[in-house]
Amino acid sequence: MDNTQPTLPRQETTMRTKTNKHTKIYIAALNVLTLRTEESLSELSLALQNTKWDILGLSEVRRIGENIIAYPDFILYHMGQTPGKHGVGFLVKKYLAKHIIGFYGVSERIALLNIKLPEYKDPWTIIQIYSPTEQAETETTSQFYQELNKTLQTYAHKNAIVMGDFNGQIGERQWDEDAIIGPFTYSSKPRSRNGKMLAGFAMENNLTILNTMFKKNKNRMWTWLSPDGKSKNQIDFIMSNKPKCFTNINVINNLNFNTNHRMVRAELNSSQPKNPRPKINPEDIKLNRYSTEENVNSLNLKLKEYKRETKDAGIQEKYNWLERTIKNTIKENKTKKENSNNWISEKTTNLLEQRSALISAKMTDNNRKEITKISKEIKENIRKDRRQRRMETIERHIRQTGGIKKAYKELTNKKEWIVKMKNSNGIKKIGRKEILNIATDYYTELYKDNTNEREIELPDNEIIPYILQEETEKAINTQKSDKAPGPDGISNEILKQMKADLIPILTEIFNGVISTEIIPKQWTESNIILLFKKGTTAIWEITGLLV
């Protein structure tokens, strides 16, 4: 059984700074038909590389259960209940992760994202839906809209977006619908049953259908193509109660992904944030042979100033200087982690290019058949590429270390987030901040000093020997590689590569701690990570706290 997680290509952040006053956040919706396998997710990630997006709502995900998974470049949330059917979710760019308030799965047709978008005072609620089709029972569709109404009125913030595959045609605007439907509708055909329910829902909740607010060519408005290629309809919509916040909406014409739906993307206007220097975390740095030499040479020159710049400094100031110098040196000579999709074979790349050309060309019966054929080949080749990469990685690590533990770590490029957590009263919380507060409160109580024992006084004449440089060197050499760094972000690999210059300084600081009995405040800080506990019931455990 292949438990390897997919290696997904990195993508650029689409929140680009412009010379004018505003920047854009791209919010989109797409019926993917299926994201059940990791190969499908990899294929979608490749397709999105050349498309601007920041938040993407997904319909027909077809993944069972409710999960939040952090990949290198985005957060995936999905909610599904029926095997092989329905399911909704979100992809959120990684740079927005810290702004996520929480996800909430209402059902396999309705999911909600609360997020504090940059430069907006109030949070936004984004609801992704997948409506029953026109062929479904009227009662089924009515229940769906009742549930959607309840979700919007119960959980939504002041700013709201509802989007997804509504499986309905709205037709032309009626005389009393100026507030919800703009002048630019796609079809003059009669409004369908689902379209009537959609319009009623929009009217009741004061939502404007953004697809109708901006003038577009008819060929850039339809969002669904029938399997036989003869019918085109506009059934995927983005609605909001804040239409003035949006500057444009587009239908993405040539997304290189195997679906008969087209992506709908709205451009949200936002006050331009300040453009700070990009933050480079030391753990994001790959020390290749050349960058290591640069770091060692550069640090060697800077550390010669240690004596002069810390002449009258205390232990804390000396340690701060050393930590700051190491970090600055690494940033100056940084080499970012390899950011490529070189695990994909040339054959797969060629197939993707062929399909992209077919999608861009005029759609004919032969084209549709060829796209279907190539899409199957793409999925199979991505599967083979992953297997090949997995075997090569395992073989390399077996030759180097004799084991596969580090190989698995390299192949795994995602982390699961906690979906919900119980507080001390047993109430489940889904908000990111609430979950963090529960964990923080638990550890605050756990490590609180409740001891009443009398401190042990050591004899005044007991002499503690000073630490030798050889002991410092041994301590550095025995540190394990490929371990997560602490809050300072300085890894063991960096210490080992620069130990010749660091040993005398660290030894002096260690001996200063012994003589003054003062430790740097950084030594009192640590990262605490919640680990998933396997079992018949998926739970998260913080030591003795079930969540």
Side-chain angles (χ1 to χ4, degrees):
M1 181 177 179
D2 183 3
N3 292 320
T4 307
Q5 307 301 340
T7 301
L8 300 176
R10 290 184 178 271
Q11 301 159 356
E12 294 183 1
T13 296
T14 56
M15 190 174 174
R16 295 178 173 86
T17 302
K18 294 185 177 291
T19 56
N20 59 10
K21 185 179 178 181
H22 297 93
T23 188
K24 298 174 182 177
I25 299 176
Y26 295 92
I27 299 175
L30 175 67
N31 185 321
V32 293
L33 296 186
T34 179
L35 276 187
R36 185 179 59 83
T37 65
E38 298 296 348
E39 288 79 16
S40 297
L41 182 59
S42 296
E43 187 181 347
L44 177 61
S45 181
L46 287 167
L48 292 172
Q49 278 188 317
N50 299 318
T51 301
K52 296 177 182 178
W53 69 279
D54 293 295
I55 299 172
L56 175 60
L58 307 169
S59 298
E60 287 202 83
V61 178
R62 306 193 190 197
R63 288 189 174 213
I64 294 297
E66 184 179 19
N67 282 294
I68 307 171
I69 306 171
Y71 287 91
D73 300 294
F74 54 76
I75 311 299
L76 168 65
Y77 168 82
H78 67 84
M79 173 68 180
Q81 296 166 328
T82 306
K85 288 185 178 181
H86 314 320
V88 286
F90 292 96
L91 290 183
V92 182
K93 278 287 183 70
K94 196 65 173 284
Y95 86 96
L96 287 172
K98 62 183 179 181
H99 300 288
I100 294 173
I101 298 172
F103 295 97
Y104 179 50
V106 179
S107 69
E108 62 184 356
R109 291 187 180 274
I110 303 172
L112 178 147
L113 163 64
N114 284 325
I115 187 168
K116 180 68 169 64
L117 292 176
E119 300 304 311
Y120 274 90
K121 180 180 178 181
D122 298 310
W124 281 80
T125 294
I126 303 175
I127 300 175
Q128 174 67 22
I129 66 93
Y130 173 54
S131 170
T133 64
E134 295 280 7
Q135 289 72 40
E137 296 288 338
T138 302
E139 180 64 23
T140 301
T141 309
S142 296
Q143 289 176 356
F144 163 76
Y145 274 100
Q146 288 174 11
E147 195 168 36
L148 182 57
N149 254 315
K150 181 180 178 181
T151 301
L152 185 62
Q153 294 167 10
T154 304
Y155 301 107
H157 287 281
K158 186 177 180 180
N159 303 320
I161 297 170
V162 182
M163 62 185 189
D165 181 359
F166 287 85
N167 275 312
Q169 303 174 59
I170 59 173
E172 292 184 327
R173 179 174 65 179
Q174 306 300 314
W175 66 271
D176 59 344
E177 294 178 338
D178 291 6
I180 64 167
I181 299 177
F184 308 112
T185 55
Y186 173 69
S187 174
S188 58
K189 293 180 180 179
R191 186 170 293 173
S192 67
R193 182 199 67 178
N194 280 10
K196 292 177 182 178
M197 291 189 179
L198 167 60
F201 168 74
M203 184 73 74
E204 182 178 350
N205 294 283
N206 193 30
L207 297 170
T208 300
I209 301 175
L210 300 179
N211 305 53
T212 65
M213 299 302 293
F214 302 91
K215 187 175 182 179
K216 303 290 178 182
N217 185 291
K218 291 290 184 182
N219 195 43
R220 302 305 299 270
M221 296 177 71
W222 62 268
T223 64
W224 174 80
L225 180 68
S226 63
D228 60 8
K230 295 180 180 180
S231 300
K232 298 175 182 177
N233 283 316
Q234 185 185 52
I235 62 174
D236 302 87
F237 299 97
I238 298 178
M239 304 186 291
S240 177
N241 63 348
K242 302 289 182 181
K244 292 183 179 179
C245 292
F246 294 85
T247 59
N248 199 5
I249 190 166
N250 285 298
V251 172
I252 307 304
N253 194 32
N254 297 319
L255 185 70
N256 190 8
F257 188 70
N258 186 31
T259 175
N260 62 340
H261 288 254
R262 299 203 293 185
M263 180 193 293
V264 184
R265 184 186 67 196
E267 298 177 12
L268 177 63
N269 212 9
S270 174
S271 298
Q272 180 176 339
K274 292 182 180 179
N275 191 21
R277 291 183 179 181
K279 294 182 179 179
I280 306 299
N281 294 323
E283 57 264 35
D284 288 335
I285 295 167
K286 181 178 180 180
L287 291 177
N288 59 32
R289 179 165 57 89
Y290 303 105
S291 60
T292 297
E293 292 174 359
E294 291 176 352
N295 280 326
V296 171
N297 294 334
S298 179
L299 188 59
N300 180 54
L301 294 173
K302 292 181 179 180
L303 293 184
K304 288 180 179 179
E305 302 296 319
Y306 170 76
K307 291 288 186 182
R308 182 178 64 82
E309 295 194 17
T310 63
K311 182 179 179 181
D312 299 319
I315 295 299
Q316 183 64 60
E317 289 75 18
K318 288 182 178 181
Y319 193 84
N320 289 345
W321 185 92
L322 179 61
E323 182 183 67
R324 184 171 60 251
T325 302
I326 294 174
K327 288 183 176 181
N328 290 341
T329 301
I330 294 170
K331 288 179 182 179
E332 291 168 4
N333 303 306
K334 64 182 181 293
T335 299
K336 293 293 287 181
K337 279 186 178 179
E338 189 175 356
N339 180 13
S340 67
N341 52 348
N342 56 8
W343 60 278
I344 296 177
S345 66
E346 184 178 353
K347 182 178 180 181
T348 305
T349 302
N350 290 337
L351 287 170
L352 288 166
E353 292 174 353
Q354 290 176 33
R355 186 175 67 181
S356 179
L358 288 169
I359 291 174
S360 301
K362 184 177 180 180
M363 195 57 64
T364 63
D365 288 340
N366 288 336
N367 265 14
R368 281 190 294 276
K369 291 177 182 178
E370 191 64 22
I371 288 172
T372 301
K373 177 184 175 183
I374 290 178
S375 295
K376 291 180 180 178
E377 292 182 35
I378 288 172
K379 279 188 170 57
E380 183 59 34
N381 276 276
I382 289 177
R383 187 176 292 111
K384 290 179 180 178
D385 293 344
R386 289 183 60 232
R387 288 174 182 167
Q388 181 64 27
R389 176 179 179 269
R390 179 175 180 270
M391 293 305 301
E392 290 175 354
T393 303
I394 290 174
E395 289 175 4
R396 172 163 50 83
H397 281 280
I398 288 176
R399 287 195 301 269
Q400 292 175 352
T401 66
I404 63 172
K405 184 177 180 180
K406 291 182 180 178
Y408 179 77
K409 183 177 180 180
E410 180 179 329
L411 291 168
T412 303
N413 71 330
K414 68 178 185 180
K415 297 178 182 178
E416 291 194 19
W417 282 19
I418 299 174
V419 177
K420 54 178 70 81
M421 181 182 286
K422 291 181 182 178
N423 63 14
S424 57
N425 297 322
I427 301 173
K428 290 182 180 179
K429 299 293 183 180
I430 62 172
R432 310 315 306 164
K433 190 173 182 180
E434 292 173 314
I435 291 173
L436 180 61
N437 287 339
I438 292 171
T440 301
D441 291 344
Y442 174 78
Y443 278 107
T444 300
E445 183 66 26
L446 181 67
Y447 291 114
K448 188 163 61 177
D449 184 9
N450 293 319
T451 181
N452 294 319
E453 295 182 7
R454 183 174 59 86
E455 292 186 2
I456 299 175
E457 296 183 3
L458 297 175
D460 293 337
N461 59 354
E462 184 170 342
I463 299 175
I464 300 176
Y466 281 130
I467 294 172
L468 303 176
Q469 289 193 17
E470 290 78 6
E471 293 176 296
T472 303
E473 182 177 9
K474 182 179 179 181
I476 293 176
N477 289 337
T478 54
Q479 296 301 304
K480 293 183 178 180
S481 300
D482 296 320
K483 294 295 182 180
D488 60 11
I490 300 175
S491 66
N492 292 337
E493 286 82 359
I494 294 173
L495 295 178
K496 289 180 179 180
Q497 295 290 351
M498 303 176 181
K499 66 179 180 180
D501 299 305
L502 293 175
I503 287 172
I505 297 176
L506 285 174
T507 304
E508 179 185 326
I509 292 175
F510 294 157
N511 288 327
V513 170
I514 292 175
S515 60
T516 63
E517 299 183 3
I518 297 173
I519 64 171
K521 66 178 180 62
Q522 290 92 326
W523 293 8
T524 66
E525 299 172 351
S526 64
N527 291 330
I528 296 177
I529 300 172
L530 307 184
L531 299 177
F532 186 72
K533 183 176 181 181
K534 295 181 180 179
T536 54
T537 303
I539 60 173
W540 287 81
E541 185 178 80
I542 312 177
T543 312
L545 176 66
L546 294 182
V547 296

